[in-house]
Amino acid sequence: MTANLSETLTLLLVEDDDGDAFIVEELLKQADAPPRIFWARSLEEARAKLTPEIQCVLVDLSLPDAHGLEALREVLALAPHTAVLVLTGLRDSHVGVAAVQAGAQDFLVKGDIDARLLARSIRYAMERKRADVAQLRLMQAELTAKENSRLESALLPGALLHTEAIEHVTRYLPGSGGTLAGDFFDTVQTPDGSVHVVVGDVCGHGPDEAALGVALRIAWRTLVLAGQTGDTLLRTLDALLRAERKAPEIFTTLCMATIAPDLGSAGMRVVGHPPPVLVRDGVVQVVEGTPSGPPLGIFGDAEWSVIDVQLGEEWAMMLYTDGLIEAAVGERDELLGVEGLLDLVREHGTIDLDRLIARAGTLADDLAVVLVRRRSR
């Protein structure tokens, strides 16, 4: 009966004994679809022949330049995503068991091999490897999801508000790559009744940037609760950014607003960040005079001017990261931009975050949004 290898495979045989190599090749020729076989007599030769097209490695554990599990570890290091089948001598079957424990998918004793057993072992070894890789990816995805969840809870806290005169809505969405970035936001009301809001964006993507965003967000809340605002707060955040960032080119943009206790005006600092959107008495516009200074982490002597904004009796203010205006819209996937964002708000007649984000298009970057609205009396 012929061996059952239903697809043409590409194998690498690492064997220094010509006779044993000949036997393996002859047995595999009996398969329904005989595989392509590359032969290496040593680990040194195997390194050159172990290309991505190799689907399974058959390796003898007695080689001129490696012996026992050392040879296996070398092969596993060279081909971490390839199935490995170990060949042992009659007296070394115990080594085969140790090889499986060390990472091989299976082992065969040379004296007990026939064509059917060899073909089946190769097929099973490949299936086990696929299952191992899939399980590893699943575990990594679960760990990443847990880490992202932990970071998101620190990046996106609940607002500290003790007034019912303010409606507060937030949204956060990851970009198309699904990788957590350093977008963050926070809202704190201090004992004097002032409402402080911040939205920030650490450049780059990944856990390091997200962790830096967490540090900046917590520092911002701590400073606000301690009574520090304005340039003093920004200089402290700038110093923290420089101390914690992994590379000197990392910078952070942010927008923060301090709404007066009577809710009729606000002082804003737009730190290299997209301009906030205001809706006052039905008029939709961006805050004029932005930005008020450069991003954090670029200039050591930077200053940021205050933008005074009269809010009036009925108003809504939206602070957001650039993931919103960099969303791809239309058939040509053009960037939404600030003007496009204003058009969407005017079209809706109000700021409805869910409708706005749904209409914005495909997100290429993370998106963080805070909407603060004065409730109707």
Side-chain angles (χ1 to χ4, degrees), residues 24-336:
V24 170
E25 290 179 333
E26 288 299 310
L27 292 175
L28 290 176
K29 286 180 181 179
Q30 302 177 42
D32 293 335
R36 296 173 59 205
I37 303 174
F38 293 90
W39 181 19
R41 292 180 171 82
S42 65
L43 273 179
E44 184 177 358
E45 288 187 24
R47 289 188 183 95
K49 297 182 179 181
L50 196 50
T51 61
E53 66 177 329
I54 300 297
Q55 297 166 280
C56 183
V57 179
L58 288 74
V59 56
D60 179 31
L61 295 186
S62 298
L63 299 172
D65 50 356
H67 186 77
L69 295 183
E70 176 191 354
L72 173 63
R73 294 189 183 99
E74 289 280 351
V75 171
L76 293 174
L78 291 170
H81 303 297
T82 305
V84 177
L85 184 62
V86 166
L87 303 175
T88 69
L90 289 173
R91 299 179 180 178
D92 298 326
S93 58
H94 64 285
V95 178
V97 175
V100 172
Q101 294 173 343
Q105 274 61 60
D106 204 349
F107 76 97
L108 290 173
V109 179
K110 294 178 182 179
D112 295 338
I113 297 176
D114 59 28
R116 185 182 182 85
L117 175 62
L118 180 58
R120 185 178 63 185
S121 297
I122 292 172
R123 186 173 66 252
Y124 286 0
M126 292 176 61
E127 290 302 321
R128 289 192 192 101
K129 187 61 180 183
R130 290 192 186 104
D132 291 345
V133 170
Q135 180 66 21
L136 179 60
R137 288 175 177 168
L138 177 61
M139 293 175 60
Q140 290 173 338
E142 290 176 348
L143 289 173
T144 299
K146 290 179 181 179
E147 182 66 13
N148 284 349
S149 178
R150 186 176 67 84
L151 288 171
E152 281 184 22
S153 66
L155 283 167
L156 318 174
L160 295 180
L161 285 172
H162 51 79
T163 177
E164 296 183 355
I166 289 288
E167 178 186 356
H168 182 268
V169 185
T170 64
R171 293 291 184 272
Y172 173 82
L173 291 173
S176 57
T179 304
L180 190 66
D183 291 16
F184 61 92
F185 59 69
D186 205 351
T187 302
V188 173
Q189 188 170 18
T190 46
D192 66 351
S194 298
V195 177
H196 306 264
V197 185
V198 67
V199 169
D201 184 2
V202 178
C203 72
H205 299 83
D208 288 339
E209 289 75 12
L212 184 53
V214 170
L216 292 171
R217 201 280 304 168
I218 293 174
W220 181 89
R221 173 175 283 203
T222 303
L223 290 165
V224 170
L225 292 174
Q228 299 295 323
T229 58
D231 279 11
T232 301
L233 182 151
L234 290 173
R235 290 193 184 98
T236 305
L237 293 182
D238 183 83
L240 175 64
L241 170 65
R242 294 172 187 273
E244 297 294 331
R245 63 188 177 185
K246 298 296 185 181
E249 63 270 16
I250 300 296
F251 64 89
T252 298
T253 69
L254 62 84
C255 176
M256 62 183 191
T258 299
I259 304 170
D262 64 2
L263 308 182
S265 63
M268 309 190 73
R269 285 174 172 80
V270 183
V271 183
H273 202 77
V277 174
L278 288 176
V279 179
R280 294 177 293 189
D281 299 324
V283 178
V284 180
Q285 61 186 146
V286 295
V287 173
E288 298 179 354
T290 61
S292 54
L296 301 179
I298 296 181
F299 303 110
D301 56 351
E303 295 182 354
W304 300 272
S305 60
V306 181
I307 303 170
D308 293 317
V309 181
Q310 294 301 313
L311 298 174
E313 291 293 325
E314 293 187 11
W315 53 266
M317 178 192 304
M318 182 175 67
L319 285 65
Y320 56 93
T321 55
D322 59 7
L324 180 57
I325 57 176
E326 292 179 357
V329 295
E331 295 180 357
R332 298 182 179 180
D333 286 339
E334 298 177 347
L335 297 185
L336 177 64

Side-chain angles (χ1 to χ4, degrees), residues 332-348:
R332 298 182 179 180
D333 286 339
E334 298 177 347
L335 297 185
L336 177 64
V338 175
E339 289 302 321
L341 176 61
L342 292 176
D343 289 341
L344 286 181
V345 176
R346 293 186 183 111
E347 178 184 327
H348 297 158

